[in-house]
Amino acid sequence: MPLMHSRHQDNATVSEASSKKRTEATAHEKTMSIAERAKERMATYEAPEVGTMEYFEWVPPIYATSPDQLAKGAWIKELIKKHEGWIGIGDDNKVTAVGGGKAEGKSSRRQNGHKRLGTVLDYAAGTGYLSQALAPYAERILAIDRSQGMVDIYNEISGKLKEDDTLRCDMRAVCGDLIPDTYDNVLGIDEAEERDYSEFDTIALCLALDLFTPEISNPSWIIHALQALVSRLKEDGILIILEIEKYESNVAPVMDPDNPACTIDGLKMQGNGSLDVSIALQEMGMNNVEYKTGERFQWFRKDGMRWRNETFFVMKARKGGSTEGKSKVKDH
């Protein structure tokens, strides 16, 4: 399956004039830190329309350095740490020395007392917040994003983490897509890259579900997209999803005055929620589909005003393996 470069949903491709302007800006910014680039972009360039491909090429330095996004990145690390045992990568999965009381693990991914995630695909990785949260548990992380700007920042950050000796696994990103028949503009890559992006022990997504489905209320699209990703997952491999939860009640919601798209409890009104995704995964034949919901991320500005209010769910599923039923755990 070829990697595909894509536009964001049905937005038009970035214009040649904008592309030229961005190329000139990028050449100028190469001498600057990511934070300096963010400040210059906010001061010099008018922000493109949110959700367009131009926006996703413009925003990466800001996304990588803004206080609210940095806080979310730290929160994602804590969330993975909190649920490491449930995911299967925590202290409950320790393996004793040969001859000890507990049998050696079946997976070769057990290392340093933890069941490792092995080779991980971070799909729609952005600047790498989820990758950084999973890095302590992974042997290698290969990320992909449709935005070259996101990919550039991702690789720059991972390079600096390696230089600082704070990153113990290989972590890199390429620009493209893995979901066919949804987006245009094929991106050619060499065969070595295609092999790298074909068989994963783990596939992880964070805030990606509503980006890769042009018709976010059509369940066939979410199945189509997830099947394309799961086809690159090894037998017995794990799928991990972090996403904002959707409001499901028949009672009229109280909306957040600071974010008209979400309720006061940080739930989105449209898109794919835990119920939609769990049903899709079970229809696809995935096993051990389980999720935890009610994970709240809030961030307040220095003046005390709440700026971020989002309620997430965390989901895991296994390809093949045993066929235990779904387990739903609320408000953890």
Side-chain angles (χ1 to χ4, degrees):
M1 288 176 282
L3 290 179
M4 301 178 68
H5 182 60
S6 66
R7 40 193 181 123
H8 179 269
Q9 298 188 27
D10 58 352
N11 293 306
T13 306
V14 179
S15 68
E16 185 178 345
S18 323
S19 179
K20 182 178 178 181
K21 181 178 179 181
R22 189 169 61 252
T23 300
E24 293 171 351
T26 301
H28 166 66
E29 291 174 345
K30 283 185 177 179
T31 60
M32 307 165 66
S33 70
I34 297 175
E36 289 171 338
R37 275 174 264 169
K39 289 179 181 178
E40 176 148 316
R41 289 196 181 191
M42 288 189 290
T44 308
Y45 307 108
E46 182 178 351
E49 181 184 351
V50 175
T52 63
M53 201 61 215
E54 283 187 280
Y55 176 81
F56 285 105
E57 295 294 348
W58 173 83
V59 78
I62 301 164
Y63 191 77
T65 57
S66 64
D68 60 322
Q69 294 296 338
L70 290 171
K72 184 182 286 185
W75 179 81
I76 289 171
K77 286 183 179 180
E78 290 300 316
L79 188 64
I80 295 297
K81 179 70 175 175
K82 173 182 176 181
H83 293 305
E84 61 179 13
W86 176 73
I87 294 170
I89 53 177
D91 289 339
D92 289 343
N93 293 280
K94 281 187 176 180
V95 181
T96 60
V98 175
K102 189 172 180 179
E104 291 185 66
K106 295 180 180 179
S107 172
S108 61
R109 288 181 271 150
R110 292 187 183 273
Q111 194 176 96
N112 299 329
H114 292 83
K115 183 177 180 181
R116 308 289 283 178
L117 291 175
T119 299
V120 179
L121 167 66
D122 184 353
Y123 177 83
T127 58
Y129 287 122
L130 179 58
S131 290
Q132 292 169 47
L134 296 176
Y137 311 98
E139 294 169 11
R140 180 168 66 154
I141 298 176
L142 298 175
I144 190 165
D145 197 278
R146 301 173 196 140
S147 163
Q148 184 63 56
M150 291 288 189
V151 167
D152 291 342
I153 295 292
Y154 181 107
N155 287 329
E156 185 173 344
I157 290 173
S158 65
K160 289 180 178 178
L161 291 174
K162 289 176 185 176
E163 288 177 6
D164 297 339
D165 200 30
T166 55
L167 185 64
R168 300 303 175 92
C169 75
D170 179 38
M171 195 173 101
R172 61 185 176 88
V174 298
C175 183
D177 206 316
L178 296 168
I179 301 173
D181 306 324
T182 306
Y183 303 99
D184 56 11
N185 298 335
V186 174
L187 173 67
I189 60 168
D190 60 38
E191 292 182 3
E193 287 282 16
E194 177 63 23
R195 286 195 299 271
D196 280 347
Y197 280 77
S198 60
E199 289 197 351
F200 292 91
D201 299 300
T202 306
I203 293 179
L205 321 173
C206 182
L207 296 173
L209 293 176
D210 297 339
L211 297 180
F212 60 37
T213 51
E215 300 176 32
I216 59 177
S217 298
N218 185 340
S220 66
W221 276 110
I222 188 72
I223 291 175
H224 167 77
L226 288 172
Q227 281 180 331
L229 295 179
V230 168
S231 69
R232 295 174 182 266
L233 191 61
K234 291 179 181 178
E235 192 72 11
D236 205 36
I238 299 170
L239 177 69
I240 301 171
I241 298 173
L242 278 68
E243 183 59 66
I244 296 174
E245 185 62 282
K246 187 171 74 171
Y247 187 78
E248 297 285 1
S249 174
N250 291 325
V251 179
V254 178
M255 303 307 294
D256 188 336
D258 298 319
N259 184 1
C262 290
T263 71
I264 196 70
D265 295 319
L267 303 173
K268 63 188 179 185
M269 295 301 298
Q270 293 184 326
N272 298 288
S274 58
L275 184 60
D276 305 303
V277 182
S278 64
I279 291 173
L281 290 174
Q282 290 178 86
E283 287 185 10
M284 289 165 50
M286 294 290 283
N287 294 320
N288 308 117
V289 181
E290 302 177 24
Y291 60 92
K292 295 178 182 289
T293 189
E295 299 289 353
R296 193 80 167 268
F297 168 70
Q298 293 184 313
W299 182 78
F300 294 83
R301 298 190 322 197
K302 289 182 178 179
D303 61 6
M305 179 180 177
R306 187 176 65 187
W307 191 250
R308 291 282 181 182
N309 178 37
E310 298 160 343
T311 296
F312 280 69
F313 68 86
V314 187
M315 183 172 292
K316 66 174 182 177
R318 186 176 296 278
K319 182 178 182 179
S322 62
T323 56
E324 294 176 15
K326 179 190 74 175
S327 172
K328 179 177 179 181
V329 184
K330 283 195 171 185
D331 300 323
H332 280 258

